[in-house]
């Protein structure tokens, strides 16, 4: 077995180490979510923690690591009446991002269960992690239904497997640790809340600390065993401290004063539900035990708040997690010792940012008075701007209509378009390919029934063969690649107008986040187009690029469409099962170069020929409308909607499907 990097040798990640150690002392805190950029020792610290955990006593031969002192009465390997015990190291089990549900929770042998009535159960990773650590790297890339199963098991301390009336339950108590890079996409707020603590990690900007990181890593790579031996005493001391803290934990007193501070803090920061209060109480108690104290102090409550509340403050994916420490100190001070009035409605109220005030036009002009048409249909550049204007603030986002891709796909699970999936409503039955996972009971019985006499059936049960089994075909929803192509030219540069456009795109990004899509951003202005953001699961990164988007210059519409075509071509090679939805945000004008309108039409017809689902968000305004965006939508083989029609509460219908080329031409 390879020698792990020592936990105590990790440099400059004190908050991460503390959060992991607190969960080692009190696993009922609910685990740790570690957020941070790549190369910040997230995985190294988690893997090193396993070596610090004390040995566990298990029932010999039990696949579920039952405690011989109190064995699980429902253990599938039980009952353990008089069982031999053995000691072993605490396990650390890693859950791969691409794991199936059966790999996580285990699988029943459906064929034996139906034919023989035997609960033949193959344990999954939850069983292997019982009384140890379950580590999920890149947890934000894990399918949502797997994260739900994982967090349910962590909360209940048990895993349930249900298959067509046959059920198995086993203990699943583990320290849950997830790591993620926010650049690759966020977890839903509901899932964030299920993690007990969250830690933000970043590489140090101090040269001396960075030098020490490199020095230790090189020493470890040269001779792992010798490097680990140098830290053996520190590792042993931490291991002993964990054992002592676990023994002290039941004796720690959480007084009414500390409880009122916890309640006042959660109320002041407007966190949803009561989970934050419970996690803070458990964390503060573990902090006291870790420091060898039997009473919880105000400093424990403060530290618990810094670990348990930041990720619960997010209201949408564009909010950065964090906590106002000045407000925290004020709340703790006001609630300290005030038994009569803990002031839960007191300071602050938090919430969101105030709505931005309307943007003013450039250099002494109102935005509405800015000319929209210059020599070639574009406004004159701002003074000193050389054709480029400062970015406009996005208007307040709104709930958008559902834009879907027609047909039935087979992409990654999501919530946008129809798809053949492992979860969803049953639409039929088919012969299984490989292992049977979702039994279609009625179809299986129908397949087996005609052969019962020939197979010599004499009892009440069916005589089944492998060929009788039928897999349930299910239809659910998939996530798509939503590629935004945004016109940032001078014809879009009127400040209030661009603010509304950005607000609309921001609204569509929020919708893409909720529907589990990947997003990409192509912008065009001046003489060229650029990929502002390659396809990613991080919609907050797209929102940040959109916010800083400058405007000005001509309108190279053809360049924007061709750039988008290249992006989709590459993505089809990377992920052929994920279908694309093209969203072009423009007023439809095309200027610059020879025959810009004809060139844009030819570029648009490329998408129509490939049946790429598309929608044009028509940003044209003013009393005179040329209808250019509508003509562009026809060339694309898609649909045009105005900014007003994009709103979910608009009068013209509640849902608009994006029609492909075939349906458009058939009409």
């Amino acid at each position: 077995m390879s020698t792990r990097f020592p936990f105590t040798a990790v440099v400059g990640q004190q908050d991460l180490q503390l959060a992991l150690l607190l969960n080692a002392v009190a696993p009922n805190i609910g685990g740790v979510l570690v957020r941070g950029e790549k190369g910040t020792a997230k995985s190294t610290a988690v893997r090193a923690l396993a070596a610090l955990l004390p040995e566990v006593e298990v029932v010999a031969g039990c696949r579920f690591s039952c405690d011989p002192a109190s064995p699980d009465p429902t253990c599938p390997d039980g009952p353990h009446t008089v069982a031999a015990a053995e000691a072993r190291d605490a396990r650390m089990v890693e859950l791969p991002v691409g794991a199936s549900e059966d790999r996580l929770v285990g699988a029943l042998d459906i064929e034996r269960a139906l034919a023989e009535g035997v609960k033949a159960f193959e344990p999954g990773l939850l069983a292997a992690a019982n009384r140890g650590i379950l580590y999920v790297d890149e947890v934000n890339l894990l399918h949502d239904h797997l994260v739900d199963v994982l967090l349910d098991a962590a909360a209940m301390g048990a895993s349930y497997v249900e298959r067509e009336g046959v059920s198995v339950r086993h203990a699943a108590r583990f320290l849950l640790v997830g790591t993620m890079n926010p650049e690759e996409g966020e977890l839903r707020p509901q899932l964030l809340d299920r993690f007990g603590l969250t830690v933000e990690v970043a590489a140090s900007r101090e040269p001396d600390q960075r030098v020490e990181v490199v020095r230790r890593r090189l020493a470890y790579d040269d001779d792992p065993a010798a490097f680990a031996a140098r830290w053996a005493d520190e590792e042993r001391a931490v291991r002993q401290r964990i054992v002592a803290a676990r023994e002290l934990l039941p004796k720690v007193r959480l007084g009414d004063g500390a409880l009122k501070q916890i309640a006042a803090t959660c109320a002041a920061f407007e966190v949803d539900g009561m989970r934050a209060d419970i996690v803070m109480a458990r964390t503060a108690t573990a902090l006291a035990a870790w420091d060898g104290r039997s009473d919880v102090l105000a400093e424990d409550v403060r530290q618990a708040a810094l670990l348990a509340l930041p990720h619960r403050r997010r209201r949408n994916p564009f909010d950065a997690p964090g906590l106002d420490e000045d407000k925290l100190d004020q709340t703790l001070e006001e609630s300290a010792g005030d038994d009569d009035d803990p002031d839960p409605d007191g300071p602050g109220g938090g919430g969101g940012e105030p709505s931005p005030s309307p943007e003013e036009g450039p250099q002494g002009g109102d935005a509405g008075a800015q000319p929209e048409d210059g020599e070639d249909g574009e406004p004159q550049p701002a003074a000193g701007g050389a054709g480029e204007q400062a970015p406009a603030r996005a208007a307040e986002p709104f709930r958008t209509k559902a834009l879907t891709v027609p047909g039935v796909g087979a992409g990654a699970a999501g919530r946008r378009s129809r798809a053949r999936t492992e979860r969803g409503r049953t639409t039929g039955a088919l012969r299984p390919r490989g292992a049977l996972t979702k039994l279609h009971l009625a179809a299986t019985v129908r397949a087996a029934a005609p052969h019962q006499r020939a197979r010599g059936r004499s009892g009440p049960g069916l005589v089944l063969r492998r060929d009788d089994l039928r897999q349930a075909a299910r239809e659910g929803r998939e996530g798509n690649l939503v590629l935004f192509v945004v016109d940032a030219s001078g014809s879009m540069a009127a400040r209030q107008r661009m603010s509304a456009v950005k607000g609309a795109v921001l609204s569509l990004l929020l919708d893409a986040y909720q529907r589990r899509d990947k997003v990409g951003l192509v912008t065009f202005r001046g003489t060229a187009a650029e990929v502002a953001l390659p396809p990613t699961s991080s919609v907050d990164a797209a929102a940040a690029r959109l916010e800083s988007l400058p405007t000005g210059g001509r309108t190279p519409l053809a360049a924007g469409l061709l750039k988008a075509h290249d992006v989709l071509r590459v993505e089809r090679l990377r992920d052929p099962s994920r279908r694309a939805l093209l969203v072009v945000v423009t007023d439809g004008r095309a200027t610059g170069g020879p025959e810009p309108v004809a060139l844009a039409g030819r570029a648009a017809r490329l998408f129509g020929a490939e049946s790429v689902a598309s929608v044009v968000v028509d940003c044209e305004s003013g009393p005179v409308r040329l209808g250019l965006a509508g003509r562009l939508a026809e060339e694309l083989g898609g649909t045009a909607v105005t900014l007003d029609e994009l709103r979910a509460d608009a009068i013209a219908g509640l849902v608009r499907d994006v029609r492909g080329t075939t349906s458009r031409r058939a009409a």
Side-chain angles (χ1 to χ4, degrees), residues 336-373:
D338 188 355
D339 293 342
D340 296 328
D341 182 16
D343 194 22
D345 299 319
E353 294 290 330
S355 299
S357 58
E359 296 285 341
E360 293 183 352
Q363 299 296 324
D366 180 75
Q370 180 173 336
E372 196 165 305
D373 297 313

Side-chain angles (χ1 to χ4, degrees), residues 396-412:
E396 193 70 19
F398 52 84
R399 190 166 64 91
T400 67
K401 291 180 180 178
L403 304 175
T404 62
V405 178
V408 180

Side-chain angles (χ1 to χ4, degrees), residues 493-548:
R495 304 280 288 177
Q496 287 183 338
R497 183 180 178 192
M498 196 60 195
S499 178
V501 168
K502 286 188 175 183
V505 178
L506 198 64
S507 303
L508 290 167
L509 283 171
L510 183 58
D511 180 70
Y513 166 79
Q514 294 167 342
R515 298 181 187 278
R516 315 293 178 261
D517 295 316
K518 290 180 70 175
V519 296
L521 179 62
V522 173
T523 64
F524 59 93
R525 65 187 183 90
T527 60
E530 66 172 345
V531 180
L533 183 71
T536 176
S537 298
S538 179
V539 295
D540 51 344
R545 301 291 173 88
L546 179 72
E547 190 69 27
S548 61

Side-chain angles (χ1 to χ4, degrees), residues 37-62:
E37 58 197 20
K38 51 188 175 292
T40 50
K42 300 188 297 293
S43 299
T44 299
V46 175
R47 293 188 174 98
L49 177 67
L52 297 179
L53 298 183
E55 288 187 338
V56 293
E57 292 280 333
V58 299
V59 174
C62 178

